Amino acid sequence: MRLLVLGGTGFVGRAVVDEARARGDEVTVLNRGHRPPLAGVAALVGDRTTGSGLAALAGGTWDAVVDTWSGAPRAVRDAASALAGRAGHYTYVSSRSVYADGAAGAPLTEDAPVVDASPDGGDEADYAAAKRGGELAALRFGGDVLLARAGLILGPYEDVGRLPWWLRRLARGGPTLAPGPRDLPLQYIDARDLAVFVLDAAADGRTGAYNVVSPPGHTTMGELLDIAAAVTGGRAELRWTDPDAILAAGVQPWTDLPIWLPPGPDHDFMHNGDVGKAVGAGLRLRPVGDTVADTWSWLQTLPGTPPQRADRPPVGLSPDLEAKVLAAA
Ligand SMILES: NC(=O)c1ccc[n+]([C@@H]2O[C@H](COP(=O)([O-])OP(=O)(O)OC[C@H]3O[C@@H](n4cnc5c(N)ncnc54)[C@H](OP(=O)(O)O)[C@@H]3O)[C@@H](O)[C@H]2O)c1
């Protein structure tokens, strides 16, 4: 397959490039060139926020395009329009954040209501509107379009910092706040499994929206932290703590304690989506132990702190607040 990845040097796009190279695909990336492309990849340079940002694509044709854009929808609109008739398939890496808040409750299928958004939207769009606007913009491609609605994405090269924060905290050891309940079901996808799904779907000509995360309960908070504590040296002593005590101390779920949401509507929204359609289309998931161990192996290769996306706030609990919660429990 001749594949064009718009992006391709961060986290998800990088995983797509890696998987495509392993398949023997011919891969081209387009980005600003802030990081070197992976070996064997043709690198085109352009800034998608500028009028001439897609000039390097001129004359090119591809079997499939994967677009990882998460900013203003109009950048997706311009790319999808420019590539119409010059590529066979267009995947937009979207998000389950597109579902309207009021849709929380039952496991959400791809038919659940979505937020209002415009394909012509600019930087004013919040994340949900940017992703939904990106979906509408991708449809300007006109041909086969796949909307891959990922949820929480983990794995090596993660640049939001969620699993990296937990791994580094557990490696530090000592009494460690573990947000309960232990059997809290989690739903996520390893970026490498997302890459496999997206490339298979492109090859099979799949179109439309797919929720692309694990089935709910692929792992639990308890299993995730037990494995993470073990692979980081077994120095952490997990102190399982009731959600109410954590919330009463002013700890913010999801951001202070990444991945974790207490039982309730937000947890159901994030960790209880319906993935029957993607599973039926062949979605395969590696065990959580592989995701955790491989992410830790990657972290250990880094000379300094892990990469952090500039457009997302850093995550993690301060040692002071953690000590306060543990002392009160
Ligand atoms: N993390 C999660 O849990 C989660 C959950 C659901 C969905 N998602 C979605 O998953 C996707 C993650 O993608 P990713 O960021 O990991 O993709 P990526 O393709 O690996 O990295 C982002 C790419 O965009 C390029 N880029 C940034 N600004 C640019 C510009 N102005 N013009 C051209 N290229 C530019 C970057 O290179 P340069 O800097 O060199 O330009 C980089 O190659 C996003 O769409 C996100 O919304 C994430």
Side-chain angles (χ1 to χ4, degrees), residues 12 56 65 67 78 82 91 116 150 196 214:
V12 174
V65 179
D67 187 352
D78 293 348
T91 293
D116 290 334
V196 168
S214 68

Side-chain angles (χ1 to χ4, degrees), residues 47-301:
D47 182 339
R48 297 178 67 183
T49 62
T50 65
S52 59
L54 300 175
L57 298 179
T61 58
W62 289 274
D63 297 312
V65 179
V66 175
D67 187 352
T68 61
W69 190 256
S70 61
R74 60 188 174 217
V76 179
R77 176 201 64 194
D78 293 348
S81 307
L83 289 162
R86 294 167 50 200
H89 188 275
Y90 197 104
T91 293
Y92 176 61
V93 177
S94 187
S95 167
R96 289 185 61 257
S97 299
V98 299
Y99 297 120
D101 278 351
L108 298 179
T109 68
E110 289 79 359
D111 298 327
V114 294
V115 298
D116 290 334
S118 165
D120 305 313
D123 293 325
E124 74 291 345
D126 65 18
Y127 184 69
K131 297 307 290 184
R132 178 59 188 154
E135 290 188 347
L136 295 170
L139 297 176
R140 298 281 174 91
F141 179 65
D144 288 353
V145 176
L146 181 88
L147 306 174
R149 290 179 178 161
L152 170 65
I153 307 175
L154 303 177
Y157 300 95
E158 190 208 314
D159 55 6
V160 182
R162 296 180 178 122
L163 186 53
W165 181 81
W166 273 113
L167 288 163
R168 283 155 53 87
R169 169 64 194 93
L170 292 162
R172 209 165 74 231
T176 305
L177 176 61
R182 266 187 79 97
D183 61 357
L184 188 72
L186 301 181
Q187 183 171 43
Y188 70 93
I189 188 154
D190 188 303
R192 297 166 294 179
D193 295 334
L194 176 57
V196 168
F197 181 85
V198 157
L199 291 177
D200 284 351
D204 294 345
R206 292 190 188 279
T207 60
Y210 283 81
N211 292 333
V212 194
V213 268
S214 68
H218 183 64
T219 189
T220 60
M221 204 68 211
E223 185 182 42
L224 179 78
L225 294 193
D226 282 346
I227 294 172
V231 303
T232 53
R235 289 181 295 278
E237 185 193 317
L238 296 177
R239 297 273 179 87
W240 288 98
T241 306
D242 189 73
D244 289 341
I246 295 171
L247 298 175
V251 173
Q252 294 300 315
W254 192 249
T255 50
D256 285 342
L257 290 172
I259 301 172
W260 178 73
L261 288 162
D266 289 349
H267 174 271
D268 289 347
F269 187 88
M270 182 55 68
H271 287 296
N272 194 27
D274 185 306
V275 291
K277 189 176 172 190
V279 169
L283 175 65
R284 281 167 286 144
L285 304 154
R286 70 197 65 215
V288 64
D290 290 4
T291 299
V292 173
D294 294 348
T295 304
W296 180 236
S297 297
W298 162 67
L299 284 175
Q300 288 176 293
T301 67

